[in-house]
Amino acid sequence: MDGRVLPEDRQAVHRYIAVRGTRLHLAEYGGTGTPLLMLHGFPQHWYAWHKVAARLGGEYRLLCPDLRGFGWSQATRRGYDMDGLADDALALLDALGIRGPVGLVGHDWGAHLGFRLCLRAPERFTGYLALNMSHPWPRHRAVLPNLWRLWYTAFLEYPVLGRAVLRHWPGFTRFLLRHQVADRSVWTEAELAEYAAATSAGAAAAQSLFWQYVLHDIPALVRGTWRRHRLTVPTLLLGGERDTVVVPSLLAGAEPYADELSVRLVPGAGHYLPQERPAEVAEAARERFPC
């Protein structure tokens, strides 16, 4: 994906870092302050944080990588399972020379990855801000009535169909972005075009991400694997009141498995809080990670 032009954001500094047999692209905002690792979701990349970064870049050192195979990070045949992506994130911090704990922010798939990181390496994080994602201990009575909301994943998971849809049907990516926000006007045409083009170019990585979830994460949820683990990283789970993907009922129920976890809803917001309500996300970050 190196041939594609990066979206313009004059506040961002870009570099490429060798990590675990691949090359990750990193957009960095601010050179000083508390480091925050910012993990994007689907179907986006580092630019998903640009509105939040405009509000926080002067206070924190924001580290916004593209996940393996997304944006301008190098694609590989394997490595898209959550443990592999968690290894990438930890190796990236090591490559940057950041040994002490950092703040962690994740949205959508990046928030799912963030929970895995906090459970695997809690000593690396001072706190966690999770956006628009359910926790690893969902209640079955909340999950089952809402499975239909993930209908679109049937077009993305399978190796042949998913890659074909993502690569050759950019309108599908646009459809998801427009229909998963509460107010479609939050997207500019340039943003929709960028994410559609990026998803088309990174179709194999996106499909692999969904397929690895089917192979590994769903069975683990059914078995209750994560009920044997406890979340010790102080966490704020921020959701959209009008999120049609991760509805508010899916955010409850983690309290027995966490030392310190609070849930908050943003009124009138949908599934893309960094795009729809960047000011609220920035304020939540300041609350979770006081300077």
Side-chain angles (χ1 to χ4, degrees):
M1 303 183 72
D2 294 351
R4 297 184 59 250
V5 177
L6 288 159
E8 184 176 357
D9 188 340
R10 296 181 180 179
Q11 303 304 312
V13 176
H14 301 276
R15 51 175 160 160
Y16 296 86
I17 300 173
V19 168
R20 299 184 62 247
T22 190
R23 187 180 65 165
L24 298 184
H25 166 254
L26 175 69
E28 188 169 346
Y29 296 83
T32 60
T34 302
L36 301 184
L37 178 62
M38 317 276 283
L39 303 175
H40 68 83
F42 170 86
Q44 297 181 282
H45 46 60
W46 69 272
Y47 195 63
W49 299 109
H50 75 282
K51 289 187 174 183
V52 177
R55 292 162 169 83
L56 292 180
E59 304 169 48
Y60 299 88
R61 179 187 179 189
L62 305 182
L63 307 171
C64 306
D66 289 333
L67 300 182
R68 177 184 294 249
F70 286 77
W72 283 261
S73 287
Q74 182 182 1
T76 55
R77 293 187 61 186
R78 298 179 177 83
Y80 301 99
D81 60 291
M82 283 299 124
D83 283 326
L85 295 175
D87 287 340
D88 284 352
L90 295 173
L92 175 65
L93 293 176
D94 290 342
L96 292 171
I98 300 175
R99 305 296 178 179
V102 303
L104 179 62
V105 183
H107 172 253
D108 185 74
W109 278 106
H112 183 63
L113 173 58
F115 276 112
R116 185 65 56 88
L117 282 164
C118 289
L119 292 172
R120 280 191 46 187
E123 72 283 356
R124 302 296 297 266
F125 305 103
T126 60
Y128 180 35
L129 174 59
L131 309 173
N132 300 109
M133 179 49 63
S134 58
H135 51 76
W137 307 277
R139 300 175 298 181
H140 292 304
R141 65 178 180 271
V143 171
L144 294 177
N146 289 294
L147 286 175
W148 66 271
R149 298 179 184 277
L150 301 177
W151 62 268
Y152 62 91
T153 63
F155 293 91
L156 307 179
E157 296 165 348
Y158 300 100
V160 176
L161 175 63
R163 297 184 188 198
V165 167
L166 293 168
R167 184 171 291 122
H168 302 298
W169 192 8
F172 189 73
T173 299
R174 288 171 173 262
F175 173 86
L176 294 178
L177 290 167
R178 287 172 58 84
H179 284 78
Q180 292 176 356
V181 294
D183 177 3
R184 299 178 189 180
S185 69
V186 299
W187 300 113
T188 66
E189 178 56 35
E191 288 167 336
L192 292 173
E194 167 55 38
Y195 294 130
T199 302
S200 178
Q207 178 276 319
S208 296
L209 180 68
F210 278 89
W211 186 236
Q212 290 302 312
Y213 182 82
V214 171
L215 292 180
H216 301 290
D217 294 55
I218 291 178
L221 288 172
V222 172
R223 293 193 302 266
T225 298
W226 298 109
R227 295 184 181 182
R228 299 192 293 270
H229 298 260
R230 187 166 187 84
L231 180 65
T232 59
V233 177
T235 298
L236 172 58
L237 182 51
L238 199 64
E241 182 187 44
R242 296 174 58 188
D243 192 332
T244 59
V245 181
V246 181
V247 297
S249 62
L250 294 174
L251 305 183
E255 291 78 8
Y257 306 97
D259 289 353
E260 182 184 337
L261 183 145
S262 57
V263 176
R264 188 180 306 162
L265 295 178
V266 179
H271 187 64
Y272 288 89
L273 285 175
Q275 184 75 18
E276 298 178 72
R277 300 296 178 85
E280 284 89 335
V281 172
E283 187 56 37
R286 294 187 186 100
E287 175 187 333
R288 183 73 280 169
F289 314 109
C291 294

